Amino acid sequence: MIASMDLNASPLPEDDEDSYESHVEHYSAPKEHVESAVEISRREREERRKRLKQDRPDDHPVHVSPPPVRDHFYQNRNPKFYDKSRIPPGWLDCPSAGQEIGCIIPSKVPLGESYNDCVPPGKRYSFKQVIHQQRVLGRKLGLVIDLTNTSRYYQTPDLKKEGIKHVKIQCRGRDAVPENVSVNAFVYEVSQFLQRQKSKKYILVHCTHGHNRTGYMIIHYLMRSQSMSVTQAIKIFSEARPPGIYKPDYIDALYAFYHERRPEMVVCPSTPEWKRSSDLDLNGEAVADDDDDDDDGGPTTLPKSHETDVVLTNDDILGDEIPQDQLESMRLFCYQTLKLNVGVRGHAQFPGSHPVSLNRDNLQLLRQRYYYATWKADGTRYLMLITVDGCYLIDRTFNFRRVQMRFPCRHPIEGIGDRTHHFTLLDGEMIIDTLPDSQKQERRYLIYDMMALNHVPIIEGWDDPYVPRTHEGLLKWKYAQMNSVDFLFEIGSDDHQHLFLYERGRKKLMEGHRVEFRDVSDPPPSFSGKIIECSWDLDQQVWVYMRIRTDKSTPNDFNTFKKVMRSIRDNITEEIVLNEINEIIRLPMYADRIKIDSKAHLQTNSVRRR
């Protein structure tokens, strides 16, 4: 089986406005002069300032950061003079919360009581009001997820007193959509909370205004927990929290991430009136707010967009990090599926099946049991765990990284995922193909084996069970010059080379062995401390450097080394292998099996054509 995918897709950044430092001037009308549009705008702005000051009683102190002091209600775009007690622009008139989406309530950020002097009594929205409002509606909060880029808006101890868990996932609100790692953390937190609760409790999700970052995260959760399109998920959020996401780049990023084409009918709503800044530019136009909470004062950098002309390599790191708790639970699932006991290293050891090199002894196994032959791809070994939430590539260090793919079920079943595989575990190799016509590179995942299908272990195979770790009956063949060993390479204090293998979990120095770095520009010391793959030069009796194994953290075991050397000495050539196969397929056991498999293949193709 071959699955073709684009593993390099990442959400696209948004091109926001440049930084703008507020500049306030007092308008003084000249005599016998007709006001220009700019002067009218400045006058109206000054009138708005006065009205805002009237809404705030003068007898209450204003808590501001040290000088220089700026007007509290004016946006200050210079972080060096950032007023920590300033309420977010547009917050006062922004609706407090939306309708529930399942058990999720989108909301603007509640402000602590320290902001009371800056907020008229009728517009205050602290966690006291939040908890009270939700109780009136018959809802009990159990979790608050904070997506703002600051911690200045409220204190969390009050939530703990109410038995409400607080999770901080810090996301910038300007110049970039939330990172994939943050999205993964959000989806995991929501999923775990809903799975573990004994009685129904609700989740309050907020950024600054509860629209863009909040909507982006909730839509990701809907997409990963249910079978729906991006358009459907956007519609659900916009109806619960009007007008929904109003930043076009957030909308575009969602469609790009899930590989869906944005319909022409999907139009990004305009910026709400309450969000338009009170600051005006020199043309009298409203300056859009950066919505970035506390900026660090440094220059804003945009994430790199997906490059189509990047050269793909097997050393590329694919996918995104996942939360540590999720990593541990997925490791446990793999161990339970393969019926492995937890050893000294816990669940940290890669459980995949490892083949052994073909030699003259195990060559006889081909006559004793059924074998299927497949191409020995030169790529990167990965297990793949498919869930409704996405796919997870599992490397040789037993680390999981999420990639955006879904595998539809041929025969949909009721339950989680409906039309999507959920907890299907595969074994395979990630390779890079170059298309002959366009010379475009594509990643392909070659699936060699299956260990679980929708939660059900299937390690008892038709002929042989799936054997974790070293499998003496799983054979691999390479040309003699392509047989290789992975060493830990180090340069000692005496500037001499040292090659290490592992034996019983400890480093084993291979005395008398050395490696030559042919056609390599970097000096040998630059490889020190790295796992390097080397082939054996039989004529020169020396190891030859091939590549750095970035996918491995440990060298080969000493037993693996002995088997590779045995394969090299036996020197089973292509001619020997083909002659052996030609004799074997004439044996009755193989001849009958080939007939059975051929009939089954023809029947399967006939059903597909219907």
Side-chain angles (χ1 to χ4, degrees), residues 267-527:
V267 179
C268 185
S270 59
T271 302
E273 184 64 32
W274 48 261
K275 183 63 173 66
R276 296 176 184 173
S277 172
S278 58
D279 286 350
L280 299 174
D281 60 19
L282 295 179
N283 295 319
E285 299 292 335
V287 177
D289 176 58
D290 60 15
D291 196 22
D292 201 22
D293 306 317
D294 286 342
D295 201 343
D296 57 8
T300 300
T301 57
L302 293 175
K304 293 180 180 179
S305 59
H306 176 51
E307 298 286 346
T308 56
D309 296 329
V310 171
V311 176
L312 307 181
T313 72
N314 289 326
D315 295 333
D316 295 338
I317 297 176
L318 308 180
D320 305 304
E321 294 180 14
I322 64 174
Q324 185 65 30
D325 290 347
Q326 185 180 15
L327 172 65
E328 293 298 332
S329 66
M330 287 184 169
R331 283 178 172 176
L332 179 60
F333 168 77
C334 292
Y335 266 61
Q336 291 174 341
T337 298
L338 300 174
K339 299 181 180 179
L340 290 174
N341 295 322
V342 179
V344 178
R345 296 173 63 186
H347 299 116
Q349 189 174 0
F350 181 74
S353 186
H354 299 301
V356 297
S357 297
L358 191 66
N359 57 48
R360 294 192 181 273
D361 287 341
N362 58 30
L363 181 63
Q364 303 307 312
L365 291 175
L366 299 179
R367 296 176 178 266
Q368 300 170 15
R369 61 177 70 174
Y370 294 115
Y371 272 90
Y372 287 96
T374 185
W375 173 37
K376 176 62 178 72
D378 186 15
T380 305
R381 171 78 177 280
Y382 287 106
L383 301 183
M384 178 184 283
L385 179 60
I386 305 171
T387 73
V388 68
D389 163 51
C391 288
Y392 298 86
L393 294 178
I394 310 168
D395 63 21
R396 294 288 292 269
T397 65
F398 208 21
N399 188 35
F400 290 62
R401 295 181 71 90
R402 184 187 183 281
V403 295
Q404 178 50 42
M405 286 198 306
R406 278 185 173 176
F407 281 75
C409 289
R410 179 180 296 179
H411 305 292
I413 55 176
E414 295 182 0
I416 295 179
D418 284 334
R419 300 182 296 274
T420 306
H421 275 271
H422 191 50
F423 279 94
T424 291
L425 184 60
L426 308 172
D427 192 357
E429 190 96 357
M430 186 71 69
I431 59 103
I432 299 172
D433 268 352
T434 300
L435 303 182
D437 295 334
S438 64
Q439 294 300 303
K440 179 183 178 182
Q441 289 181 302
E442 287 187 351
R443 297 190 192 276
R444 300 187 188 275
Y445 185 67
L446 307 182
I447 302 171
Y448 296 143
D449 220 326
M450 180 180 291
M451 297 94 91
L453 179 63
N454 290 318
H455 263 294
V456 180
I458 54 172
I459 62 173
E460 297 297 333
W462 184 0
D463 299 309
D464 280 324
Y466 184 89
V467 179
R469 300 177 184 147
T470 301
H471 184 1
E472 298 292 343
L474 184 61
L475 308 177
K476 66 177 179 179
W477 176 84
K478 295 181 179 180
Y479 291 99
Q481 67 272 19
M482 295 183 65
N483 276 294
S484 62
V485 174
D486 299 328
F487 293 101
L488 170 60
F489 178 76
E490 291 184 358
I491 297 290
S493 56
D494 54 358
D495 291 333
H496 288 171
Q497 294 184 5
H498 299 290
L499 295 177
F500 294 93
L501 295 172
Y502 257 29
E503 187 175 39
R504 297 192 181 100
R506 295 183 179 180
K507 289 166 59 177
K508 177 180 177 64
L509 176 62
M510 301 300 292
E511 297 183 3
H513 289 260
R514 64 186 182 89
V515 59
E516 289 186 358
F517 292 88
R518 302 173 182 174
D519 302 321
V520 177
S521 58
D522 296 328
S526 65
F527 298 92

Side-chain angles (χ1 to χ4, degrees), residues 223 228-231 254-262:
M223 290 294 299
M228 64 174 63
S229 66
V230 173
T231 301
L254 286 166
Y255 281 100
F257 187 87
Y258 289 100
H259 310 295
E260 294 186 18
R261 186 181 300 276
R262 177 177 172 177

Side-chain angles (χ1 to χ4, degrees), residues 103-105 141-145 190 193-194 201-205:
C103 289
I104 302 176
I105 303 168
L141 291 182
L143 173 65
V144 171
I145 300 182
V190 173
F193 175 81
L194 295 179
K201 293 184 180 180
Y202 288 80
I203 305 170
L204 187 87
V205 181

